[in-house]
Amino acid sequence: MARVRTASEVWSRFRDEQDYIERYTRFLRAKSTIHDQQVVELNRILKRVHIEPLPSRSYDRTAEPFSQEEIAALLEAVGRVGPEVYQTILGHEQCLDDVPDFGLSGPAAGYLDQLGEWIDYVLARLPYDPEDQDEEAILRAAEQGYEMTVDEVADEDDRIPPDAIRALILLAIQHAKHIQVRRQVDAMVYAQEQFADLELLARVARPDAEVNVFRQGFLLLMTAFDAAVFDIIRIAFRKKFFQLIGAFGRQEKVPLEMMGEAGSFKAWRDQMIEDQLKKRYVKDLLNLLQALGVVLVDEKQGDRHVQLIELVLRRNVHVHNRGEIDERYLELDPQSKKPKFNLYNLKLGDIARIDSVYLETAHRLCENCVGRLAAWANAD
């Protein structure tokens, strides 16, 4: 049987969850930032294969958050160059099918232990653009460099014959070119992945997107808040059963047969509590507590009970209506015929956006509410 938590334990659990949600939101926000350096690195890759670069920003905008207009221009360019990058990858991959051999039967066969050093030598001097790769010039320079170096070697047995050194260098050039193509393919694939990341980051930055960081943080917060409210009221109900059952089940009649089937008062009480809670949403519970005189907001700071209800209604439109304001959010007051909870003058069909300021307010209101609720549950 699971151990019954106290109201203080639920309050502590909520604070832990809230802390992680706040840290998670900050983490996602940091990771979802588009940096100018990303564009610089991508343009360096694109330039090497003669593809039009992405738009870069002026120096006065460096390190500033990308505006929606700048993000739109960047995504437009990504969509334009994406197919070119794909075609470049296909072309390069065809070159990778021709893997150079290791000259096991040629003049260089006896000197393959030095092939790695010659490949490194050629890679350091091989131009990135195939059109600029003058193999003969590289070969001549390598041969001349070898002759100058080998003249300093005292032991004549260490000298490689001219035909062998030429074959070894040519073999190194072929391997270096193949390695370079592999690196180019890797760079192009990296660019493709970065394009996909930029598209995702751009969507995360959209305030109306389903993956918006603040929206996700808000939904996580309200899920934890909902659970904490129900758990604490369940705990308080057990402690203050006769005080609360009249308010919760004002119009209900309980058949004695039901009490008999429960087998004990404790079992009957718990069944009654669960039945009452199942009938209500968190909005109903908050309003019922207000009617009982339980103050769940810091009125000295100017907070109002209606703000808690607005939080719940906004959560509902995001969960059930993709964030679009619906008729339930715009519930009218029977007397004034004006919306009771529309604190932000939203209209039907508007997106109930979650920004950093709103999320910060939601954290404060929920923290105060759960803390006051726990204190009420603990009081005699």
Side-chain angles (χ1 to χ4, degrees):
M1 181 177 178
R3 185 179 68 85
V4 178
R5 291 187 178 90
T6 66
S8 296
E9 288 174 330
V10 175
W11 160 237
S12 179
R13 182 195 70 189
F14 174 77
R15 284 294 296 118
D16 287 342
E17 292 174 338
Q18 186 180 29
D19 177 60
Y20 276 105
I21 291 169
E22 289 178 311
R23 290 161 60 183
Y24 174 72
T25 303
R26 289 196 299 270
F27 172 79
L28 284 185
R29 191 178 184 187
K31 294 298 183 182
S32 61
T33 300
I34 298 176
H35 297 281
D36 290 283
Q37 185 61 31
Q38 290 175 272
V39 179
V40 171
E41 291 179 359
L42 286 170
N43 282 342
R44 188 179 297 120
I45 294 172
L46 297 176
K47 182 180 179 180
R48 289 174 179 172
V49 291
H50 306 293
I51 294 179
E52 180 184 354
L54 304 176
S56 56
R57 304 196 298 172
S58 58
Y59 290 113
D60 63 315
R61 290 290 297 156
T62 301
E64 293 293 328
F66 273 68
S67 67
Q68 290 298 314
E69 293 75 16
E70 289 170 335
I71 291 175
L74 186 60
L75 290 186
E76 182 182 356
V78 166
R80 186 169 57 252
V81 305
E84 293 185 66
V85 170
Y86 176 71
Q87 291 300 323
T88 302
I89 291 174
L90 292 181
H92 282 56
E93 286 179 338
Q94 291 176 0
C95 298
L96 293 179
D97 294 336
D98 300 325
V99 181
D101 61 40
F102 281 91
L104 299 178
S105 59
Y111 306 95
L112 293 179
D113 59 320
Q114 300 183 37
L115 180 60
E117 295 180 19
W118 281 108
I119 290 175
D120 290 339
Y121 172 89
V122 174
L123 277 172
R125 293 158 178 80
L126 192 65
Y128 198 88
D129 194 331
E131 295 181 1
D132 297 331
Q133 294 173 356
D134 189 340
E135 296 183 27
E136 284 298 324
I138 295 174
L139 176 60
R140 288 194 302 271
E143 288 178 320
Q144 292 171 4
Y146 176 75
E147 288 300 327
M148 292 174 60
T149 304
V150 81
D151 285 342
E152 301 174 1
V153 178
D155 192 348
E156 188 66 22
D157 293 337
D158 291 333
R159 180 185 290 274
I160 303 175
D163 62 331
I165 193 63
R166 184 179 182 84
L168 188 61
I169 296 171
L170 286 173
L171 192 60
I173 290 174
Q174 296 307 310
H175 279 280
K177 291 175 66 175
H178 195 267
I179 290 170
Q180 191 178 73
V181 172
R182 290 213 314 263
R183 290 177 175 177
Q184 290 172 351
V185 170
D186 183 68
M188 291 294 101
V189 171
Y190 171 77
Q192 277 190 321
E193 293 173 350
Q194 287 295 297
F195 289 166
D197 288 349
L198 286 174
E199 291 174 346
L200 177 60
L201 295 180
R203 191 165 187 84
V204 168
R206 279 177 45 186
D208 59 338
E210 69 286 343
V211 291
N212 177 266
V213 172
F214 299 125
R215 179 181 187 271
Q216 292 302 311
F218 174 69
L219 292 178
L220 289 172
L221 171 67
M222 295 308 295
T223 299
F225 175 72
D226 189 295
V229 169
F230 270 90
D231 285 348
I232 292 177
I233 290 180
R234 182 179 290 108
I235 292 166
F237 217 145
R238 294 191 184 113
K239 184 178 181 180
K240 310 178 184 193
F241 180 75
F242 290 105
Q243 176 185 344
L244 296 178
I245 191 63
F248 275 78
R250 188 181 304 274
Q251 304 297 327
E252 298 182 22
K253 295 181 180 180
V254 181
L256 297 178
E257 181 182 9
M258 179 179 175
M259 297 180 64
E261 291 175 351
S264 69
F265 171 76
K266 182 178 178 181
W268 173 77
R269 179 203 64 187
D270 289 347
Q271 183 60 51
M272 287 290 295
I273 292 172
E274 292 305 317
D275 288 346
Q276 292 299 320
L277 294 181
K278 286 178 182 178
K279 298 176 183 179
R280 293 172 170 85
Y281 297 106
V282 67
K283 171 190 170 185
D284 303 322
L285 295 181
L286 295 175
N287 284 335
L288 194 150
L289 290 171
Q290 183 192 36
L292 291 174
V294 182
V295 180
L296 299 176
V297 295
D298 188 351
E299 295 178 339
K300 294 181 179 179
Q301 296 295 324
D303 294 338
R304 296 179 294 158
H305 180 84
V306 67
Q307 290 176 277
L308 290 174
I309 306 303
E310 196 277 336
L311 288 178
V312 175
L313 294 177
R314 188 172 295 224
R315 187 276 308 269
N316 291 345
V317 298
H318 276 280
V319 171
H320 303 296
N321 204 36
R322 298 177 59 83
E324 292 186 12
I325 296 300
D326 55 17
E327 295 288 356
R328 291 185 178 182
Y329 182 92
L330 298 175
E331 179 184 343
L332 299 180
D333 181 274
Q335 303 298 325
S336 66
K337 303 301 180 182
K338 295 180 180 180
K340 293 193 293 184
F341 312 112
N342 186 16
L343 304 179
Y344 297 87
N345 298 318
L346 298 172
K347 298 180 177 59
L348 191 67
D350 285 351
I351 297 297
R353 297 183 175 184
I354 311 296
D355 57 20
S356 60
V357 175
Y358 186 88
L359 182 58
E360 183 179 344
T361 300
H363 272 287
R364 188 189 74 250
L365 288 169
C366 290
E367 180 180 351
N368 285 339
C369 177
V370 176
R372 289 168 177 268
L373 193 58
W376 164 75
N378 287 326
D380 294 329

